[in-house]
Amino acid sequence: MVPDDSAPAAIAAAAVPNPAATEALAADPPPITPVPAQARAPAPPIDPRTQLRLRGETDHLVLLMPNGSEAEAGALAWGELLQQFKQRLNGGERCWQPHTVVHLAARDRLLDARQLQSLEELLSAAQLTLKRVITSRRQTAIAAVTAGYSVDQLAAEDTLVQSPPPPGQPLAEPLYLQTTVRSGTEIRHPGTIIVLGDANPGSSLVSEGDILVWGRLRGTAHAGSGGDRSRCIMALQMHPTQLRLADLVARAPDGPTSQYLPEVAYVGDNAIRIAQAQAFARQNFDATLGQGAQLTDAFKV
Amino acid sequence: MTRIIVMTSGKGGVGKSTCTANLGMALAQRNQRVAVVDADFGLRNLDLLLGLENRIVYTALDVLAGDCSVEKALVKDKRQPTLGLLAAAQNRNKEAITPEQMKELVAGLAPSHDFILIDCPAGIEMGFQNAIAPAKEAIVVTTPEISAVRDADRVIGLLEANDVKFTKLLINRIKPKMVQEDQMMSVRDVLDILAVPLLGVVPDDERVIVASNRGEPLVLDKQLSLAGVAFNNIARRLVGEEVPLIDLNATHDDLFSRLRRFFRG
Ligand SMILES: Nc1ncnc2c1ncn2[C@@H]1O[C@H](COP(=O)(O)OP(=O)(O)OP(=O)(O)O)[C@@H](O)[C@H]1O
Ligand SMILES: [Mg+2]
């Protein structure tokens, strides 16, 4: 049974005490239902660098190909890669002026003329112009030259170094999408993800940074996928299928919720907790005050 | 300009073919020149629903093989001569045809028709890719069930990614009584997730099954059933009329008495 609007499906509600009880705000809300260890898949580490993405440089964009390991995984994988990239482009990943030049960082991926052409078509539909191809593969370089692009051929070692993301590397710039993330769509990004719209059931967001959904979060969200537990997931309406923060997994409690208030999921005491956004902000503020003793003293009468 | 519309759903058995047959017929009744194209190669049944099975001479594959023109392959409906069916081949599978070929077939039909309705097979594989390739618009058919809605959502995403703009939603097999008792998703619930414009709602109606078995789409009935009225209204919306939704949430008695009043004038 699906409840109608007057009794919307619930999730985090159980975790959050009545907002009237101001005292409760100081303490962490109880953790939401953790997924029992045995029911939990051995949580394979998800590498958010497995999708095509754009990075801004001063006067052009760089289109980053994912690393080569699964590069030769066949035509199906290529089709999916393009599809995901297209969903991003359509999702208003429009942080550029029309006719911006794109350099393709193909790394050690083997690309033929047809694949280069399909990329060019996607880009030009989004008013971007593919000009240069950077690759460490001879065949790719030849295909690119034949198709009329400028080509930088790198030595193979250069790209190998990049393969596992080195620790301490800064996060990618945030990914800003204005779209409904629909069932079957997976957005992976090695930085913060901001969605202006709903993330529907069956969708999945994986971010090395934070996740902010300015809408309803009803799919699966994984923030801090690189292992950073200080990350959080924010949503105007928090009704996720499953939440993940770093290595922790929690599923939504059953039962009806009563609220439509923005909420934040974060890690407190080794468990995922959900607080109303206001309470969460206040907690952080209190923590800051606690550190700045002078400020606190100044307020004491 | 010819409206090229794919009827699709993701999940199987939600009523794509039923809706294609009824909307095709209802549009033809409004003097539109309509071609319905069965893109369900290997599992065709649009011909059955329209009662045209025994009149098929050529299929889409014969057209592609150059054995006949696309106009000649079109089976004309005797009841509504402005309705034609392009049948799928029964003895071949979905890989028998490519998206390019599908575009070619539809391009051949476009100049002589106002509407082309493409009946898409279930799933999101090759058959789906073929069916959506020539389409400019889509009608996503779903029933008010979580699994159907989830698949519809996926399909809407795929349509967006494949540049089929103008997706509209048709909710089929609503049972007003169950909705009232909170045992079925309401139209609101479905729209809440899918967030695309609503084209219409068709109630669950046993006469749909009877009509299918007879090969006579409901909209041909002299005494229209509620589902028949719903299909007619959808056809009217497709040609640009503004028709309010039938109030399916009224109690059953109300509904039928209101309909009776409607037909007695
Ligand atoms: N509004 C309705 N009321 C009652 N029965 C219906 C209704 N719509 C469809 N049906 C029944 O549901 C069944 C499936 O319908 P149909 O064949 O049109 O679905 P489909 O989506 O084309 O299926 P497939 O995915 O196999 O092509 C049929 O038996 C049909 O009579
Ligand atoms: Mg069918």
Side-chain angles (χ1 to χ4, degrees):
Chain A
M1 190 205 81
V2 170
D4 69 17
D5 272 14
S6 58
I11 284 211
V16 188
N18 189 321
T22 333
E23 300 84 346
L25 298 176
D28 269 342
I32 57 170
T33 329
V35 173
Q38 74 275 20
R40 204 159 116 186
I46 303 162
D47 182 3
R49 287 176 183 74
T50 48
Q51 293 188 332
L52 279 165
R53 63 195 166 88
L54 287 166
R55 190 181 68 202
E57 299 281 321
T58 33
D59 60 346
H60 64 274
L61 291 168
V62 178
L63 175 56
L64 295 161
M65 292 293 283
N67 287 320
S69 54
E70 69 256 84
E72 267 76 53
L76 188 73
W78 172 253
E80 232 154 66
L81 206 61
L82 284 190
Q83 184 110 317
Q84 288 162 343
F85 182 51
K86 189 146 186 214
Q87 270 159 343
R88 282 193 181 201
L89 285 174
N90 288 353
E93 201 190 2
R94 297 260 152 83
C95 310
W96 57 78
Q97 307 283 330
H99 312 301
T100 302
V101 166
V102 177
H103 295 182
L104 170 65
R107 301 185 181 175
D108 56 351
R109 226 171 223 269
L110 203 52
L111 292 175
D112 60 27
R114 240 190 47 243
Q115 291 172 319
L116 283 171
Q117 198 197 332
S118 49
L119 270 180
E120 145 126 55
E121 279 166 12
L122 273 192
L123 289 169
S124 65
Q127 300 203 300
L128 294 171
T129 321
L130 182 58
K131 278 268 168 70
R132 180 179 292 272
V133 177
I134 306 151
T135 174
S136 62
R137 298 290 284 257
R138 225 176 78 83
Q139 293 97 313
T140 307
I142 293 170
V145 169
T146 318
Y149 304 113
S150 347
V151 174
D152 288 348
Q153 198 177 340
L154 304 177
E157 308 85 69
D158 284 359
T159 53
L160 282 181
V161 184
Q162 297 186 8
S163 284
Q169 186 183 297
L171 292 181
E173 48 197 285
L175 172 67
Y176 178 88
L177 294 171
Q178 183 171 354
T179 186
T180 303
V181 186
R182 297 192 180 273
S183 174
T185 304
E186 186 176 50
I187 308 279
R188 279 176 257 145
H189 187 66
T192 291
I193 299 177
I194 302 160
V195 177
L196 192 53
D198 292 347
N200 276 356
S203 69
S204 148
L205 303 171
V206 179
S207 156
E208 265 179 32
D210 300 321
I211 294 175
L212 169 60
V213 178
W214 191 257
R216 281 169 298 199
L217 171 55
R218 293 191 278 201
T220 296
H222 187 177
S225 67
D228 184 354
R229 285 191 175 188
S230 69
R231 295 295 167 177
C232 61
I233 300 172
M234 296 157 273
L236 285 189
Q237 276 182 41
M238 186 78 88
H239 295 166
T241 313
Q242 196 187 79
L243 287 178
R244 293 184 177 213
L245 279 163
D247 55 327
L248 299 172
V249 185
R251 71 174 166 74
D254 311 309
T257 188
S258 52
Q259 48 195 333
Y260 275 132
L261 293 167
E263 290 177 309
V264 182
Y266 63 98
V267 177
D269 254 347
N270 290 323
I272 297 181
R273 291 157 204 279
I274 296 185
Q276 281 173 14
Q278 261 190 328
F280 182 75
R282 197 163 329 166
Q283 260 178 40
N284 280 1
F285 184 61
D286 289 349
T288 330
L289 282 185
Q291 283 158 16
Q294 282 181 329
L295 188 57
T296 337
D297 285 342
F299 278 100
K300 278 188 182 150
V301 185
Chain B
M1 229 197 32
T2 313
R3 308 260 308 260
I4 304 172
I5 308 177
V6 62
M7 311 280 297
T8 181
S9 68
K11 189 168 158 57
V14 297
K16 293 176 293 295
S17 303
T18 306
C19 293
T20 310
N22 278 288
L23 292 182
M25 189 62 83
L27 286 167
Q29 287 173 327
R30 282 168 181 72
N31 296 322
Q32 303 290 317
R33 296 166 301 162
V34 185
V36 290
V37 178
D38 194 346
D40 203 343
F41 282 72
L43 285 173
R44 75 173 193 209
N45 48 32
L46 196 52
D47 50 333
L48 297 177
L49 298 185
L50 287 165
L52 297 175
E53 185 192 18
N54 49 19
R55 303 210 4 240
I56 296 172
V57 182
Y58 298 107
T59 69
L61 282 188
D62 299 312
V63 179
L64 290 172
D67 291 343
C68 73
S69 71
V70 70
E71 283 299 332
K72 197 167 168 208
L74 216 53
V75 183
K76 291 269 176 335
D77 191 288
K78 289 238 172 67
R79 301 156 294 197
Q80 280 298 333
T82 58
L83 176 68
L85 163 76
L86 182 62
Q90 179 73 303
N91 56 345
R92 305 291 286 279
N93 62 15
K94 297 184 171 51
E95 280 75 45
I97 182 171
T98 66
E100 287 312 314
Q101 290 177 315
M102 199 68 193
K103 282 189 194 166
E104 188 187 321
L105 287 171
V106 169
L109 290 169
S112 49
H113 290 91
D114 302 308
F115 278 89
I116 297 177
L117 303 184
I118 305 169
D119 183 19
C120 181
I124 52 173
E125 292 81 29
M126 201 59 214
F128 169 79
Q129 295 294 342
N130 285 338
I132 68 170
K136 302 215 183 72
E137 303 171 49
I139 296 179
V140 170
V141 182
T142 186
T143 54
E145 291 163 273
I146 300 255
S147 55
V149 171
R150 185 72 62 93
D151 289 358
D153 192 40
R154 175 114 168 87
V155 159
I156 294 168
L158 291 174
L159 288 166
E160 283 165 0
N162 284 281
D163 294 321
V164 183
K165 311 276 150 70
F166 312 113
T167 296
K168 295 212 170 67
L169 186 69
L170 195 166
I171 305 177
N172 189 22
R173 308 197 72 164
I174 276 260
K175 296 187 181 177
K177 195 151 163 286
M178 282 183 73
V179 174
Q180 270 182 351
E181 289 165 3
D182 231 6
Q183 298 190 320
M184 182 182 257
M185 291 176 91
S186 69
V187 172
R188 272 275 289 284
D189 293 332
V190 177
L191 284 177
D192 198 39
I193 290 188
L194 297 180
V196 289
L198 180 65
L199 182 63
V201 179
V202 178
D204 192 80
D205 190 336
E206 287 176 1
R207 286 157 76 180
V208 171
I209 300 170
V210 179
S212 308
N213 290 340
R214 272 195 306 205
E216 297 209 346
L218 276 184
V219 292
L220 288 172
D221 291 355
K222 290 230 166 52
Q223 264 259 335
L224 276 188
S225 57
L226 199 53
V229 175
F231 280 125
N232 263 335
N233 285 352
I234 293 171
R236 287 168 62 190
R237 286 183 201 115
L238 279 175
V239 294
E241 280 180 55
E242 274 197 30
V243 191
L245 285 178
I246 336 177
D247 181 9
L248 295 169
N249 286 320
T251 67
H252 264 287
D253 278 337
D254 267 347
L255 201 63
F256 284 120
S257 50
R258 213 172 319 154
L259 268 181
R260 235 176 283 135
R261 252 179 286 139
F262 175 72
F263 284 112
R264 286 184 188 147

mmCIF file of all heavy atoms in Angstrom, chain A residues 172-193:
data_model
loop_
_atom_site.group_PDB
_atom_site.id
_atom_site.type_symbol
_atom_site.label_atom_id
_atom_site.label_comp_id
_atom_site.label_asym_id
_atom_site.label_seq_id
_atom_site.Cartn_x
_atom_site.Cartn_y
_atom_site.Cartn_z
ATOM 1 N N ALA A 172 37.113 16.362 -6.394
ATOM 2 C CA ALA A 172 36.761 17.051 -7.628
ATOM 3 C C ALA A 172 35.781 18.178 -7.319
ATOM 4 O O ALA A 172 35.148 18.185 -6.260
ATOM 5 C CB ALA A 172 36.130 16.067 -8.598
ATOM 6 N N GLU A 173 35.641 19.116 -8.235
ATOM 7 C CA GLU A 173 34.676 20.186 -8.006
ATOM 8 C C GLU A 173 33.271 19.593 -7.943
ATOM 9 O O GLU A 173 33.012 18.543 -8.533
ATOM 10 C CB GLU A 173 34.781 21.249 -9.100
ATOM 11 C CG GLU A 173 34.815 20.692 -10.513
ATOM 12 C CD GLU A 173 35.333 21.698 -11.543
ATOM 13 O OE1 GLU A 173 34.577 22.595 -11.879
ATOM 14 O OE2 GLU A 173 36.486 21.573 -11.995
ATOM 15 N N PRO A 174 32.370 20.243 -7.210
ATOM 16 C CA PRO A 174 31.031 19.665 -7.044
ATOM 17 C C PRO A 174 30.326 19.472 -8.380
ATOM 18 O O PRO A 174 30.531 20.216 -9.320
ATOM 19 C CB PRO A 174 30.293 20.705 -6.207
ATOM 20 C CG PRO A 174 31.352 21.482 -5.528
ATOM 21 C CD PRO A 174 32.536 21.473 -6.448
ATOM 22 N N LEU A 175 29.502 18.450 -8.426
ATOM 23 C CA LEU A 175 28.690 18.174 -9.611
ATOM 24 C C LEU A 175 27.306 18.727 -9.339
ATOM 25 O O LEU A 175 26.656 18.351 -8.368
ATOM 26 C CB LEU A 175 28.620 16.670 -9.847
ATOM 27 C CG LEU A 175 27.658 16.194 -10.937
ATOM 28 C CD1 LEU A 175 28.136 16.651 -12.297
ATOM 29 C CD2 LEU A 175 27.537 14.681 -10.897
ATOM 30 N N TYR A 176 26.877 19.633 -10.203
ATOM 31 C CA TYR A 176 25.595 20.289 -9.992
ATOM 32 C C TYR A 176 24.631 19.841 -11.063
ATOM 33 O O TYR A 176 24.879 20.063 -12.243
ATOM 34 C CB TYR A 176 25.813 21.798 -10.046
ATOM 35 C CG TYR A 176 24.581 22.616 -9.885
ATOM 36 C CD1 TYR A 176 24.138 22.981 -8.622
ATOM 37 C CD2 TYR A 176 23.865 23.045 -10.989
ATOM 38 C CE1 TYR A 176 23.000 23.745 -8.472
ATOM 39 C CE2 TYR A 176 22.723 23.808 -10.842
ATOM 40 C CZ TYR A 176 22.296 24.149 -9.584
ATOM 41 O OH TYR A 176 21.163 24.903 -9.434
ATOM 42 N N LEU A 177 23.557 19.188 -10.675
ATOM 43 C CA LEU A 177 22.609 18.651 -11.652
ATOM 44 C C LEU A 177 21.215 19.177 -11.381
ATOM 45 O O LEU A 177 20.741 19.135 -10.248
ATOM 46 C CB LEU A 177 22.561 17.120 -11.567
ATOM 47 C CG LEU A 177 23.820 16.361 -11.959
ATOM 48 C CD1 LEU A 177 23.665 14.899 -11.609
ATOM 49 C CD2 LEU A 177 24.089 16.525 -13.447
ATOM 50 N N GLN A 178 20.583 19.653 -12.439
ATOM 51 C CA GLN A 178 19.201 20.056 -12.290
ATOM 52 C C GLN A 178 18.355 19.054 -13.061
ATOM 53 O O GLN A 178 18.196 19.161 -14.271
ATOM 54 C CB GLN A 178 19.010 21.459 -12.856
ATOM 55 C CG GLN A 178 17.605 21.954 -12.661
ATOM 56 C CD GLN A 178 17.477 23.425 -13.031
ATOM 57 O OE1 GLN A 178 18.457 24.096 -13.322
ATOM 58 N NE2 GLN A 178 16.254 23.899 -13.038
ATOM 59 N N THR A 179 17.852 18.072 -12.342
ATOM 60 C CA THR A 179 17.162 16.980 -13.032
ATOM 61 C C THR A 179 16.418 16.123 -12.022
ATOM 62 O O THR A 179 16.614 16.246 -10.820
ATOM 63 C CB THR A 179 18.199 16.099 -13.776
ATOM 64 O OG1 THR A 179 17.527 15.128 -14.555
ATOM 65 C CG2 THR A 179 19.115 15.381 -12.814
ATOM 66 N N THR A 180 15.532 15.266 -12.526
ATOM 67 C CA THR A 180 15.005 14.191 -11.705
ATOM 68 C C THR A 180 15.916 12.998 -11.941
ATOM 69 O O THR A 180 16.084 12.578 -13.068
ATOM 70 C CB THR A 180 13.567 13.831 -12.135
ATOM 71 O OG1 THR A 180 12.766 14.987 -12.057
ATOM 72 C CG2 THR A 180 12.990 12.759 -11.233
ATOM 73 N N VAL A 181 16.541 12.488 -10.891
ATOM 74 C CA VAL A 181 17.382 11.308 -11.064
ATOM 75 C C VAL A 181 16.451 10.104 -10.996
ATOM 76 O O VAL A 181 15.886 9.817 -9.948
ATOM 77 C CB VAL A 181 18.464 11.219 -9.985
ATOM 78 C CG1 VAL A 181 19.418 10.066 -10.279
ATOM 79 C CG2 VAL A 181 19.233 12.528 -9.904
ATOM 80 N N ARG A 182 16.276 9.430 -12.137
ATOM 81 C CA ARG A 182 15.246 8.406 -12.221
ATOM 82 C C ARG A 182 15.793 7.019 -11.933
ATOM 83 O O ARG A 182 16.999 6.801 -11.932
ATOM 84 C CB ARG A 182 14.600 8.442 -13.600
ATOM 85 C CG ARG A 182 13.884 9.759 -13.857
ATOM 86 C CD ARG A 182 13.024 9.701 -15.071
ATOM 87 N NE ARG A 182 12.352 10.964 -15.310
ATOM 88 C CZ ARG A 182 11.196 11.308 -14.773
ATOM 89 N NH1 ARG A 182 10.567 10.487 -13.940
ATOM 90 N NH2 ARG A 182 10.649 12.477 -15.030
ATOM 91 N N SER A 183 14.851 6.097 -11.747
ATOM 92 C CA SER A 183 15.203 4.711 -11.472
ATOM 93 C C SER A 183 16.207 4.207 -12.507
ATOM 94 O O SER A 183 16.047 4.450 -13.696
ATOM 95 C CB SER A 183 13.941 3.860 -11.515
ATOM 96 O OG SER A 183 14.270 2.511 -11.383
ATOM 97 N N GLY A 184 17.222 3.512 -12.051
ATOM 98 C CA GLY A 184 18.205 2.933 -12.972
ATOM 99 C C GLY A 184 19.349 3.868 -13.279
ATOM 100 O O GLY A 184 20.344 3.461 -13.855
ATOM 101 N N THR A 185 19.236 5.126 -12.882
ATOM 102 C CA THR A 185 20.323 6.068 -13.124
ATOM 103 C C THR A 185 21.269 6.060 -11.936
ATOM 104 O O THR A 185 20.841 6.165 -10.795
ATOM 105 C CB THR A 185 19.782 7.498 -13.321
ATOM 106 O OG1 THR A 185 18.835 7.474 -14.371
ATOM 107 C CG2 THR A 185 20.908 8.453 -13.665
ATOM 108 N N GLU A 186 22.551 5.925 -12.229
ATOM 109 C CA GLU A 186 23.533 5.993 -11.158
ATOM 110 C C GLU A 186 24.462 7.162 -11.438
ATOM 111 O O GLU A 186 25.029 7.259 -12.516
ATOM 112 C CB GLU A 186 24.313 4.693 -11.065
ATOM 113 C CG GLU A 186 25.239 4.707 -9.873
ATOM 114 C CD GLU A 186 25.963 3.390 -9.686
ATOM 115 O OE1 GLU A 186 26.540 2.885 -10.658
ATOM 116 O OE2 GLU A 186 25.947 2.883 -8.567
ATOM 117 N N ILE A 187 24.583 8.046 -10.488
ATOM 118 C CA ILE A 187 25.500 9.165 -10.632
ATOM 119 C C ILE A 187 26.654 8.935 -9.673
ATOM 120 O O ILE A 187 26.459 8.859 -8.462
ATOM 121 C CB ILE A 187 24.820 10.511 -10.262
ATOM 122 C CG1 ILE A 187 23.503 10.691 -11.032
ATOM 123 C CG2 ILE A 187 25.778 11.663 -10.455
ATOM 124 C CD1 ILE A 187 23.639 11.173 -12.420
ATOM 125 N N ARG A 188 27.846 8.816 -10.204
ATOM 126 C CA ARG A 188 29.026 8.646 -9.361
ATOM 127 C C ARG A 188 29.937 9.836 -9.583
ATOM 128 O O ARG A 188 30.163 10.250 -10.718
ATOM 129 C CB ARG A 188 29.774 7.373 -9.742
ATOM 130 C CG ARG A 188 29.170 6.117 -9.147
ATOM 131 C CD ARG A 188 29.888 4.893 -9.637
ATOM 132 N NE ARG A 188 29.105 4.222 -10.667
ATOM 133 C CZ ARG A 188 29.647 3.609 -11.706
ATOM 134 N NH1 ARG A 188 30.958 3.594 -11.880
ATOM 135 N NH2 ARG A 188 28.881 3.020 -12.593
ATOM 136 N N HIS A 189 30.460 10.387 -8.503
ATOM 137 C CA HIS A 189 31.307 11.566 -8.659
ATOM 138 C C HIS A 189 32.330 11.630 -7.527
ATOM 139 O O HIS A 189 31.967 11.476 -6.368
ATOM 140 C CB HIS A 189 30.425 12.814 -8.657
ATOM 141 C CG HIS A 189 31.175 14.059 -8.972
ATOM 142 N ND1 HIS A 189 31.745 14.279 -10.203
ATOM 143 C CD2 HIS A 189 31.462 15.152 -8.217
ATOM 144 C CE1 HIS A 189 32.354 15.460 -10.187
ATOM 145 N NE2 HIS A 189 32.195 15.999 -8.997
ATOM 146 N N PRO A 190 33.586 11.878 -7.878
ATOM 147 C CA PRO A 190 34.604 11.947 -6.818
ATOM 148 C C PRO A 190 34.603 13.283 -6.107
ATOM 149 O O PRO A 190 35.666 13.795 -5.751
ATOM 150 C CB PRO A 190 35.909 11.705 -7.591
ATOM 151 C CG PRO A 190 35.623 12.095 -8.982
ATOM 152 C CD PRO A 190 34.160 11.953 -9.217
ATOM 153 N N GLY A 191 33.475 13.862 -5.900
ATOM 154 C CA GLY A 191 33.346 15.113 -5.171
ATOM 155 C C GLY A 191 31.911 15.218 -4.723
ATOM 156 O O GLY A 191 31.151 14.268 -4.851
ATOM 157 N N THR A 192 31.529 16.388 -4.208
ATOM 158 C CA THR A 192 30.169 16.567 -3.723
ATOM 159 C C THR A 192 29.171 16.558 -4.875
ATOM 160 O O THR A 192 29.467 17.039 -5.961
ATOM 161 C CB THR A 192 30.102 17.894 -2.932
ATOM 162 O OG1 THR A 192 30.855 17.715 -1.735
ATOM 163 C CG2 THR A 192 28.678 18.278 -2.592
ATOM 164 N N ILE A 193 27.990 15.983 -4.628
ATOM 165 C CA ILE A 193 26.915 15.980 -5.630
ATOM 166 C C ILE A 193 25.765 16.848 -5.127
ATOM 167 O O ILE A 193 25.314 16.693 -3.992
ATOM 168 C CB ILE A 193 26.399 14.550 -5.890
ATOM 169 C CG1 ILE A 193 27.521 13.651 -6.422
ATOM 170 C CG2 ILE A 193 25.232 14.573 -6.869
ATOM 171 C CD1 ILE A 193 27.086 12.211 -6.637
#
